[in-house]
Amino acid sequence: MSTTRPYSPGDRGPEPSGASGVSEGGAPGSGGPEEGVSAGHAAVIGASGEASPSPSAGAAAGTAAGGGGRQVRRLSFDDQSGVVPLARDFTRQALYAWGWLPSATADQRAAAEDVLLVVSELVTNACLHAEGPDELRITCEKKVIRLEVSDRGTGQPAPRTPHRAGRPGGHGMFIVQRLCLDWGVVRTPGVAGKRVWAELGAPG
């Protein structure tokens, strides 16, 4: 399922936004470091596990998943404003690096639009119900994009039922549910907050 938008983000190219984070690229299961992410720093982690300075976030084509490996990018929202457009631009740059953009077909364009819409909804939901997001993590593996937004909220995201299309508000998690292969919430015992994740597939 896809959405109709007045323009196609897949045709605009990476936008300079100042979005920065940590890019990790490597063999399946390499995952890279999980801690020490700070806004304003970017690095590429290769299969060897050695970090090297990253090119600009929009020019990380060298980390594309051409080899079928697991690719991970993380963006910290510490002390950041305008987190929704920041998250969209960061995600768009990842889609370019991983070959989802530019889109050659309508299906590919729709898939990229869906990823950008879902990341917007997840980050917006964290802003509205959890005092804002802490981090965005994007993983690409085997033609599946996994989006994870962490926050410190205690609530449980859920689509509003019954869903009424004409009612203002309350559509975010319904959209996530409709567009994604699967989604859920992960909590770590003894750690405040949660991670809301969603997975979307590339067109066949």
Side-chain angles (χ1 to χ4, degrees):
M1 174 169 294
S2 62
T3 57
T4 303
R5 306 177 73 85
Y7 56 80
S8 170
D11 293 318
R12 298 190 299 165
E15 296 179 357
S17 65
S20 60
V22 173
S23 297
E24 304 164 12
S30 63
E34 296 297 325
E35 300 178 355
V37 181
S38 61
H41 292 84
V44 175
I45 310 300
S48 66
E50 296 181 357
S52 60
S54 170
S56 65
T63 65
R70 179 172 179 263
Q71 303 291 319
V72 182
R73 290 187 172 205
R74 296 184 295 158
L75 170 66
S76 171
F77 293 108
D78 289 346
D79 301 320
Q80 298 290 324
S81 59
V83 293
V84 174
L86 185 69
R88 285 179 61 89
D89 288 343
F90 183 79
T91 303
R92 183 181 290 110
Q93 290 162 4
L95 293 176
Y96 269 91
W98 296 335
W100 284 52
L101 289 174
S103 49
T105 68
D107 285 347
Q108 291 173 348
R109 183 164 56 249
E113 289 175 356
D114 289 349
V115 171
L116 294 174
L117 178 55
V118 169
V119 80
S120 296
E121 296 297 342
L122 293 180
V123 173
T124 298
N125 200 61
C127 291
L128 294 176
H129 305 292
E131 301 180 4
D134 289 335
E135 183 184 84
L136 166 65
R137 177 186 174 99
I138 313 171
T139 305
C140 181
E141 185 174 17
K142 297 180 180 178
K143 295 188 177 181
V144 173
I145 292 280
R146 181 181 175 99
L147 305 168
E148 297 178 69
V149 175
S150 60
D151 62 58
R152 297 176 191 174
T154 58
Q156 183 72 15
R160 177 184 290 175
T161 54
H163 179 257
R164 296 185 177 92
R167 184 176 181 178
H171 306 296
M173 297 313 295
F174 177 79
I175 291 171
V176 171
Q177 184 179 58
R178 292 290 301 270
L179 294 181
C180 295
L181 299 171
D182 199 4
W183 72 278
V185 179
V186 176
R187 297 183 189 275
T188 302
V191 178
K194 62 185 180 295
R195 285 184 292 124
V196 183
W197 60 269
E199 293 182 341
L200 300 94

